[in-house]
Amino acid sequence: MKHTLQQIFRSPNFVIGFAIFMALILFVFIYPLVVPDAPLAIIAQGTFFPPGTYVSVYDSLGSTQYTLNLQNASAARIGSKVSDTDKAAIKDYLVLVGVPEGQIDLTDTQKLLEQWKTNYDPNKNISGVTNAKRNQFIRLNTSLQNANSDQGIVLASQDPTSGALTQTGTVKLTDYVDINQIASAKVLPLGTDNFGRDVLTELVSATKVSLQIGFVAGLIATLIGLTLGLLAGYIGGMLDDIIMFITNLFTVIPSFVLLILISFSIGQDQRGAVTIAVVIGFTSWVWTARAVRSQVISLRNRDHVNLSKLSGHSIVHIILSDILPYIASYVVMAFILQISSGILAEAGLSILGLGPRTTDVPTLGLMMNWAMIYQAHILGKWWAYFPILLDIALITFSLNLMNTGLDQVFNPALRD
Amino acid sequence: MPTNNDPVGNNPVGNNPVGNNPVGKKLCLSVKGLTKEFGFGRQKNVAVNKVDMDLYEGEVVSIVGESGSGKTTLSKMLLGLINSTEGDIYFQGKKRDISSYSKKQEYWKNIQAIFQDPFSSYNIFNKIDAVLLDCINMRGGRRLPQAKKVEMMTEACSFVNLKYEEMTNKYPFELSGGQMQRLMIARIFLLKPKILLADEPTSMIDACSRATILDMLMKLRDETGMTLIFITHDIGLAYYVSDQVFIMEHGKFVESGSPDDVILHPREPYTKRLINDVPKIYEEWDLTTV
Ligand SMILES: Nc1ncnc2c1ncn2[C@@H]1O[C@H](COP(=O)(O)OP(=O)(O)OP(=O)(O)O)[C@@H](O)[C@H]1O
Ligand SMILES: [Mg+2]
């Protein structure tokens, strides 16, 4: 026993898989201690805020201001204010007024703005430019002027009765605040989703729920498969025929179709995470049952079983102590695979909109479902779906890796 | 028909399954038309084909045949571990009834076995102490004080020249094949069954341990008076130990009788071939001593 454990932990596949899996589990359990937010709390007004650190503007005005003279600060500021579409519009205009195309460099924002300043004339009539286009250039000019301003901003407070403004301060271009001194800042490493929820917090909670679903589904599937396989294989006869009939029924109906039908008939209100896990478990025991049965059939005529019979042991004792230990490694492997296929099954169901009730808890499948419905993939909001895909891939990859590692230890034919 | 050639000239099963033979020994196990087929149709393989045999209490009976002749299959049927396709087995004059598991358990109190391959006879997950403890429990010693149990196990071990202290707390893979088979004999020592079926108990171990194991088996039989069914492919060994010899070819008994009749005056070419295959030592020994 101890010997086998040592061997398992010497298998590189198992160790890598185990390490990834444990890292995930640790993260899932430690993260909520650090960020104790409710996973489904809507914190953002608006959809798909990109990943980043969100700093309260109000608080940053109130916090201590430092003056830093940084060389490329203004370039960066202008660069971030002038979008690619703005640049394209500038180029359009410059070409229209006759600037040779070779002189226009879209990567040099500052030069582009200078060219605009010297060439733009709102009163100039250029042939072939529609009114709408002309208005667009006017709007562009206004916004560019703001961007290019090197004035600070005046802060004012309003008198509640008279409505008169009094200057309370100015913000100069060289004013900085220390982010650590700002009363309120929020790191959203994976941004927000379509509902305005913190994707990372949601993802951690979803990982936990999905693992639980996979675990429960795998446990149920393995228990049912193991029990039926043991009974059919060891007792044989009529019982075997009946169990094999049921197993064959389940084999010919694809389990995912069955899963869809059952989930659909349960109805949205009844579908909690646990219900879904149970349903997945009850539809995926078939292969475990078949495999266990065939292993038991090859075991039941072995001499150590015969000796146990001759030593007066009961059938239950023989199954538990002479058959089960021999297939235990196999069952553990099947269980690990069932966990990962349970997680995938939940994801599949949820993408079809048949997953757990959406108001309770997030699951990996539900998050995929939301990202898909709100077209995160089309809008290019990668943070709303890619981390989930990566998470599912990591979980199943690590579980499968562990399984391969176990297989190498338990199955001497695969050892190198 | 092998049973018609019975040197004793008597086939009690034929006319009177409950009867005794003329010498006055009691019939222990008798087998009538026992057949085992594996597979169906084209795949059908008759491993044991209409076998008849009578075993008397306290006898040593050898079943000799080459590999694949059906010896193990026959012994599994005698043990009630597999079902026969056809034929009956009478145990102590009554037709054997093993229709339920509890009836089988009842039957197994009387018959025990040592299997061909010691390495597959043990549950690799259990410590070997369990094997001997099971025997004490089976013989009603479950409530005995621990010290008494240890004493019994120590005695059984020393019977087969094993040290109990060296056997305890070990897993089967820590033993040699010879030690494993000796422990199996220690098991029989504790169980003292009416019938012992030893299926080539020495085929997997070296010649030296083979002789020791054989000696122990014979000593045990002398002490307990049990019926010993000895299965082997080694006809010289059969001659050396047995009261009755059955020669098995392709699932059939082709010749049977006392070892003197069968081995010194074989009639079947198959038997002659088996005798010729025996290493010279036996042959010389056979011819000079008889
Ligand atoms: N469970 C089984 N299913 C199908 N065929 C079997 C089975 N067990 C044995 N046989 C066949 O029955 C025949 C007799 O086998 P058996 O094991 O009784 O031979 P054996 O005389 O004990 O040989 P050996 O000396 O090698 O042990 C063989 O042809 C074997 O292939
Ligand atoms: Mg055999």
Side-chain angles (χ1 to χ4, degrees):
Chain A
M1 196 59 216
K2 204 174 140 218
H3 186 71
T4 332
L5 272 183
Q6 272 175 1
Q7 264 191 329
I8 289 173
F9 278 96
R10 240 176 256 147
S11 148
N13 279 339
F14 182 86
V15 172
I16 295 174
F18 188 76
I20 298 176
F21 192 70
M22 277 301 131
L24 278 171
I25 298 263
L26 271 182
F27 190 69
V28 161
F29 279 94
I30 290 176
Y31 181 86
L33 302 179
V34 182
V35 184
D37 298 348
L40 288 184
I42 294 173
I43 54 170
Q45 273 179 35
T47 60
F48 297 127
F49 289 4
T53 308
Y54 289 75
V55 180
S56 155
V57 177
Y58 189 86
D59 288 347
S60 49
L61 289 178
S63 104
T64 321
Q65 300 197 340
Y66 302 93
T67 304
L68 290 181
N69 290 308
L70 299 179
Q71 259 176 357
N72 47 8
S74 67
R77 184 179 308 123
I78 292 166
S80 78
K81 283 230 173 113
V82 182
S83 70
D84 284 349
T85 35
D86 290 346
K87 286 182 192 169
I90 295 174
K91 186 182 173 187
D92 278 354
Y93 186 84
L94 292 179
V95 171
L96 281 173
V97 296
V99 178
E101 227 173 298
Q103 288 183 18
I104 305 169
D105 182 4
L106 285 186
T107 52
D108 189 347
T109 318
Q110 208 133 23
K111 191 178 163 218
L112 214 53
L113 284 178
E114 269 156 31
Q115 280 173 322
W116 173 268
K117 228 180 203 169
T118 49
N119 285 301
Y120 183 70
D121 177 4
N123 303 321
K124 197 172 186 173
N125 231 336
I126 311 162
S127 60
V129 173
T130 57
N131 237 0
K133 194 84 176 171
R134 196 201 321 273
N135 286 337
Q136 191 198 333
F137 286 135
I138 293 172
R139 276 199 306 276
L140 179 62
N141 188 48
T142 338
S143 83
L144 289 181
Q145 271 174 344
N146 287 345
N148 218 5
S149 136
D150 42 16
Q151 310 298 308
I153 295 171
V154 171
L155 300 177
S157 67
Q158 192 172 28
D159 187 286
T161 46
S162 67
L165 294 175
T166 355
Q167 181 172 348
T168 52
T170 48
V171 180
K172 294 195 294 298
L173 293 182
T174 48
D175 280 347
Y176 285 79
V177 289
D178 178 357
I179 200 168
N180 294 326
Q181 292 174 355
I182 295 177
S184 177
K186 172 80 182 161
V187 186
L188 296 173
L190 294 176
T192 67
D193 69 357
N194 53 290
F195 297 115
R197 305 187 284 220
D198 176 0
V199 173
L200 184 64
T201 310
E202 207 179 349
L203 184 65
V204 167
S205 162
T207 306
K208 193 169 162 187
V209 177
S210 279
L211 279 173
Q212 283 166 343
I213 290 180
F215 188 81
V216 171
L219 201 66
I220 292 176
T222 309
L223 278 182
I224 296 178
L226 179 63
T227 315
L228 292 184
L230 279 174
L231 289 178
Y234 192 76
I235 314 265
M238 262 288 273
L239 194 64
D240 187 22
D241 293 341
I242 295 171
I243 291 174
M244 279 325 281
F245 179 75
I246 301 172
T247 311
N248 285 333
L249 265 187
F250 272 84
T251 317
V252 288
I253 309 171
S255 66
F256 200 67
V257 174
L258 200 64
L259 198 55
I260 290 174
L261 292 178
I262 296 177
S263 311
F264 188 73
S265 62
I266 287 175
Q268 171 80 24
D269 295 339
Q270 257 68 50
R271 281 202 307 263
V274 180
T275 322
I276 288 295
V278 172
V279 173
I280 293 174
F282 269 96
T283 52
S284 55
W285 51 267
V286 179
W287 294 107
T288 310
R290 282 175 166 272
V292 167
R293 174 179 174 269
S294 64
Q295 298 234 337
V296 172
I297 286 179
S298 82
L299 275 169
R300 71 176 175 196
N301 290 324
R302 292 258 194 101
D303 280 343
H304 76 270
V305 176
N306 287 333
L307 195 84
S308 196
K309 286 179 180 173
L310 291 175
S311 300
H313 290 307
S314 66
I315 292 181
V316 176
H317 182 278
I318 291 176
I319 289 181
L320 291 185
S321 92
D322 295 309
I323 302 277
L324 202 53
Y326 282 77
I327 57 171
S329 60
Y330 184 85
V331 173
V332 169
M333 278 162 37
F335 176 56
I336 289 178
L337 283 189
Q338 296 274 24
I339 293 180
S340 93
S341 68
I343 290 170
L344 290 178
E346 186 277 327
L349 265 189
S350 296
I351 283 180
L352 295 179
L354 293 170
R357 197 170 38 225
T358 49
T359 48
D360 275 3
V361 282
T363 68
L364 293 174
L366 283 173
M367 289 185 73
M368 286 303 290
N369 180 244
W370 295 325
M372 203 182 67
I373 293 177
Y374 289 88
Q375 301 186 315
H377 52 301
I378 296 171
L379 300 173
K381 312 295 182 191
W382 58 267
W383 58 88
Y385 63 91
F386 184 71
I388 307 162
L389 284 181
L390 191 71
D391 192 21
I392 295 180
L394 271 182
I395 295 173
T396 45
F397 174 71
S398 63
L399 287 172
N400 283 309
L401 214 54
M402 274 154 79
N403 196 58
T404 323
L406 287 179
D407 209 13
Q408 276 168 343
V409 173
F410 293 134
N411 192 345
L414 294 179
R415 240 175 260 163
D416 35 30
Chain B
M1 278 283 103
T3 36
N4 291 349
N5 297 331
D6 192 334
V8 193
N10 192 343
N11 177 14
V13 176
N15 25 43
N16 173 20
V18 202
N20 295 344
N21 80 333
V23 192
K25 284 191 203 161
K26 274 185 86 180
L27 200 56
C28 175
L29 199 66
S30 83
V31 170
K32 186 99 185 82
L34 201 62
T35 302
K36 179 71 187 181
E37 293 168 0
F38 289 113
F40 303 95
R42 276 159 161 244
Q43 308 267 298
K44 193 161 97 172
N45 173 11
V46 188
V48 175
N49 194 352
K50 299 205 179 65
V51 157
D52 301 315
M53 65 195 289
D54 295 316
L55 311 181
Y56 299 94
E57 279 178 8
E59 257 187 347
V60 178
V61 179
S62 292
I63 299 173
V64 189
E66 60 185 1
S67 184
S69 55
K71 306 181 298 290
T72 299
T73 309
L74 173 62
S75 72
K76 294 264 159 78
M77 283 193 288
L78 294 179
L79 285 165
L81 290 171
I82 57 175
N83 294 326
S84 54
T85 314
E86 246 178 76
D88 296 316
I89 295 175
Y90 297 84
F91 174 62
Q92 294 183 325
K94 282 195 287 292
K95 193 167 166 182
R96 184 184 73 171
D97 180 7
I98 51 165
S99 51
S100 72
Y101 192 74
S102 55
K103 283 174 181 160
K104 280 184 187 173
Q105 283 182 310
E106 210 45 47
Y107 177 61
W108 289 327
K109 288 185 179 157
N110 300 301
I111 187 162
Q112 283 297 332
I114 296 174
F115 295 115
Q116 193 163 2
D117 178 4
F119 297 94
S120 71
S121 301
Y122 288 86
N123 181 333
I124 56 170
F125 295 96
N126 291 351
K127 289 195 179 142
I128 47 181
D129 312 45
V131 176
L132 296 182
L133 265 181
D134 283 347
C135 301
I136 296 177
N137 292 342
M138 191 181 175
R139 287 295 180 241
R142 195 176 290 274
R143 285 177 201 286
L144 286 178
Q146 183 63 22
K148 176 70 183 160
K149 287 184 184 176
V150 171
E151 188 195 316
M152 289 167 80
M153 290 191 280
T154 312
E155 188 194 357
C157 283
S158 69
F159 179 81
V160 291
N161 289 338
L162 290 174
K163 286 207 172 64
Y164 172 73
E165 306 81 59
E166 286 172 15
M167 292 294 115
T168 185
N169 242 331
K170 273 195 179 153
Y171 284 97
F173 66 85
E174 295 174 86
L175 298 190
S176 74
Q179 285 175 321
M180 284 180 179
Q181 266 333 31
R182 277 188 281 164
L183 202 70
M184 279 294 150
I185 299 175
R187 186 177 166 271
I188 304 301
F189 178 86
L190 285 171
L191 287 171
K192 301 197 169 48
K194 291 208 173 65
I195 307 173
L196 172 63
L197 212 152
D199 184 358
E200 305 196 50
T202 58
S203 68
M204 307 286 280
I205 45 193
D206 65 275
C208 191
S209 336
R210 196 172 294 183
T212 359
I213 284 186
L214 222 57
D215 279 350
M216 285 169 185
L217 267 181
M218 290 308 147
K219 202 170 100 192
L220 188 58
R221 191 207 70 105
D222 293 342
E223 281 187 16
T224 59
M226 65 188 176
T227 309
L228 177 60
I229 306 173
F230 190 66
I231 293 178
T232 178
H233 55 262
D234 186 338
I235 202 165
L237 213 59
Y239 177 82
Y240 172 59
V241 298
S242 43
D243 300 318
Q244 267 195 90
V245 178
F246 293 86
I247 309 289
M248 197 168 191
E249 181 188 17
H250 294 311
K252 279 196 164 130
F253 283 165
V254 291
E255 209 168 343
S256 65
S258 74
D260 287 347
D261 282 345
V262 175
I263 296 165
L264 295 186
H265 311 286
R267 276 169 289 105
E268 293 290 326
Y270 179 71
T271 318
K272 288 177 186 158
R273 212 183 76 222
L274 284 178
I275 294 170
N276 283 336
D277 288 347
V278 170
K280 276 281 181 294
I281 324 165
Y282 283 125
E283 211 175 334
E284 282 165 12
W285 182 82
D286 287 349
L287 296 174
T288 48
T289 46
V290 181

